[in-house]
């Protein structure tokens, strides 16, 4: 037997080496023995809405955890920060007494300094006033239904109202609103006080039940009555709550208690109050 023949027989007779084979991939159906259910179709718009909703929820949760000033305070830190020093009490007392003295000085001004009425309707916005107010000043603001900063009310322009505004002049600004702003304020931010609850003026039935005996049955009648200071102006104002305005942009209200004519924020703006209303509505 030749050498080449022996080599060929040796190769042919050698045991065969199994070639590597891929294992079959078992499907869910083969593993469980059950048929898989097809996934429900969800549109892309729904998925995007879910994503935005989840992101907002996470952001809101983070804000609540961090608190008002951007950092979560421990109970010990918050207890320490709530403690007032004697100097703070003395400063607050002096500020309140100074506010009372200035209020009395403003009340003693001559009636000639009170501006002449150019319109029957005034819109008053509270722009100041927290810890430095005397209780008498706060009481006047409460009588005007201005319990919160950046709240506004419609009032009938009378000498008595102007005298009250003169006493609390550093804390309010006021002027003559036009028809456009009156209508937008009532439609956007107007609400009624029913059983000590705020109810939006979206249903004329609510208006008719409360003011129907005065001939006011819809929101347009409320706008007309307020704009013209009609005979039932007082009833309409009692029916509505104070208008809560949006927080002004940076630089719009500088926090100065000087008069508007002297470069401050407070006092009579006359027709220029409409610019401020448009930016805060």
């Amino acid at each position: 037997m030749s050498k080449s023949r022996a080599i060929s027989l040796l190769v042919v007779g050698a045991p065969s080496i199994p070639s590597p084979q891929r294992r079959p991939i078992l499907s869910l159906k083969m593993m469980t023995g059950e048929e898989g259910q097809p996934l429900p179709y969800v549109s892309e718009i729904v998925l995007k809405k879910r994503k935005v909703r989840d992101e907002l929820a996470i952001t809101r949760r983070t804000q609540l955890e961090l608190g008002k000033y951007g950092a979560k305070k421990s109970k010990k830190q918050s207890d320490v920060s709530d403690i007032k020093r004697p100097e703070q009490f003395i400063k607050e007392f002096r500020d309140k007494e100074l506010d009372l003295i200035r209020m009395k000085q403003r009340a003693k001004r001559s009636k000639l300094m009170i501006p002449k009425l150019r319109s029957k309707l005034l819109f008053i916005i509270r722009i100041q006033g927290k810890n430095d107010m005397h209780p008498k000043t706060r009481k006047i603001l409460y009588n005007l239904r201005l319990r919160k900063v950046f709240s506004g009310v419609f009032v009938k322009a009378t000498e008595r109202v102007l005298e009250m505004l003169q006493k609390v002049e550093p804390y309010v600004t006021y002027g003559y609103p036009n028809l456009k702003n009156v209508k937008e304020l009532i439609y956007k931010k107007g609400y009624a006080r029913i059983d000590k609850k705020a109810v939006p003026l979206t249903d004329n039935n609510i208006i008719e039940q409360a003011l129907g005996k005065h001939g006011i049955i819809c929101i347009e009648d409320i706008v007309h009555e307020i704009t013209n200071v009609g005979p039932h102006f007082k009833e309409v104002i009692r029916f509505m709550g104070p208008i809560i305005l949006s927080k002004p942009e940076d630089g719009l209200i500088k926090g100065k208690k000087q008069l508007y004519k002297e470069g401050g924020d407070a006092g009579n703006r006359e027709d220029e109050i409409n610019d401020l209303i448009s930016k805060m509505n």
Side-chain angles (χ1 to χ4, degrees):
M1 185 180 294
S2 63
K3 188 176 182 179
S4 60
R5 179 73 174 174
I7 293 172
S8 62
L9 289 173
L10 182 62
V11 172
V12 172
S16 61
I17 300 173
S19 61
Q21 296 181 357
R22 295 182 179 178
R23 295 181 179 179
I25 300 174
L26 299 177
S27 63
L28 180 65
K29 179 179 177 181
M30 297 173 64
M31 294 174 63
T32 60
E34 299 178 357
E35 295 185 359
Q37 296 293 332
L39 295 175
Y41 173 75
V42 181
S43 65
E44 185 178 357
I45 297 175
V46 175
L47 293 175
K48 287 182 178 180
K49 287 183 178 180
R50 289 178 182 175
K51 183 179 179 182
V52 172
R53 183 184 60 193
D54 294 341
E55 290 177 353
L56 289 175
I58 293 171
T59 304
R60 181 58 180 161
R61 191 184 305 114
T62 305
Q63 291 175 349
L64 292 174
E65 290 176 355
L66 293 178
K68 182 178 179 182
Y69 298 103
K72 190 175 181 180
K73 296 181 180 180
S74 63
K75 184 178 180 181
K76 185 177 180 180
Q77 289 176 339
S78 61
D79 292 342
V80 172
S81 62
D82 291 340
I83 297 175
K84 289 186 177 181
R85 297 178 178 272
E87 295 84 358
Q88 291 177 307
F89 286 103
I90 294 172
K91 185 179 181 301
E92 289 181 5
F93 177 78
R94 288 178 177 174
D95 289 341
K96 291 178 181 179
E97 290 300 314
L98 183 61
D99 178 64
L100 178 62
I101 293 170
R102 289 175 177 173
M103 186 186 71
K104 291 180 179 180
Q105 290 175 350
R106 290 191 298 269
K108 291 179 181 179
R109 290 178 187 173
S110 173
K111 291 186 178 181
L112 297 175
M113 297 184 67
I114 299 177
K116 294 182 179 180
L117 299 176
R118 292 176 47 194
S119 174
K120 294 181 180 180
L121 181 65
L122 283 176
F123 187 72
I124 311 171
I125 304 174
R126 178 176 172 179
I127 58 173
Q128 293 283 349
K130 288 187 178 180
N131 297 327
D132 58 345
M133 282 195 310
H134 193 271
K136 291 185 177 180
T137 306
R138 185 180 290 106
K139 184 178 180 181
I140 295 174
L141 289 173
Y142 282 9
N143 289 337
L144 292 169
R145 303 197 305 159
L146 296 172
R147 293 180 172 269
K148 296 182 179 179
V149 180
F150 304 135
S151 61
V153 291
F154 295 103
V155 297
K156 184 177 180 180
T158 60
E159 291 185 1
R160 181 178 176 276
V161 170
L162 291 178
E163 289 176 359
M164 293 173 66
L165 291 175
Q166 195 172 17
K167 294 179 180 179
V168 296
E169 201 169 38
Y171 305 101
V172 297
T173 185
Y174 55 95
Y176 309 114
N178 54 29
L179 175 60
K180 176 177 176 292
N181 280 324
V182 172
K183 191 171 184 178
E184 289 183 353
L185 283 171
I186 295 174
Y187 270 90
K188 289 182 179 181
K189 299 184 180 296
Y191 64 93
R193 300 292 299 180
I194 300 176
D195 296 332
K196 297 182 180 181
K197 295 181 180 180
V199 180
L201 298 177
T202 55
D203 189 359
N204 289 330
N205 292 327
I206 299 174
I207 301 173
E208 186 175 2
Q209 290 176 3
L211 302 173
K213 57 185 177 182
H214 304 299
I216 301 170
I217 60 174
C218 63
I219 194 168
E220 282 293 336
D221 293 339
I222 290 179
V223 173
H224 180 269
E225 191 72 16
I226 291 177
T227 305
N228 297 311
V229 192
H232 303 292
F233 176 84
K234 191 174 182 180
E235 288 79 3
V236 172
I237 295 302
R238 285 181 178 176
F239 171 70
M240 293 179 59
I243 295 175
I244 307 301
L245 300 170
S246 303
K247 187 177 180 180
E249 299 176 357
D250 294 338
L252 185 60
I253 292 192
K254 303 172 184 177
K256 296 181 180 179
K257 294 183 179 180
Q258 298 177 356
L259 296 179
Y260 179 72
K261 295 180 180 179
E262 299 175 358
D265 301 320
N268 189 5
R269 298 192 180 210
E270 297 185 351
D271 294 330
E272 294 183 15
I273 192 69
N274 292 293
D275 297 333
L276 182 62
I277 294 173
S278 299
K279 294 176 181 178
M280 296 179 68
N281 190 7

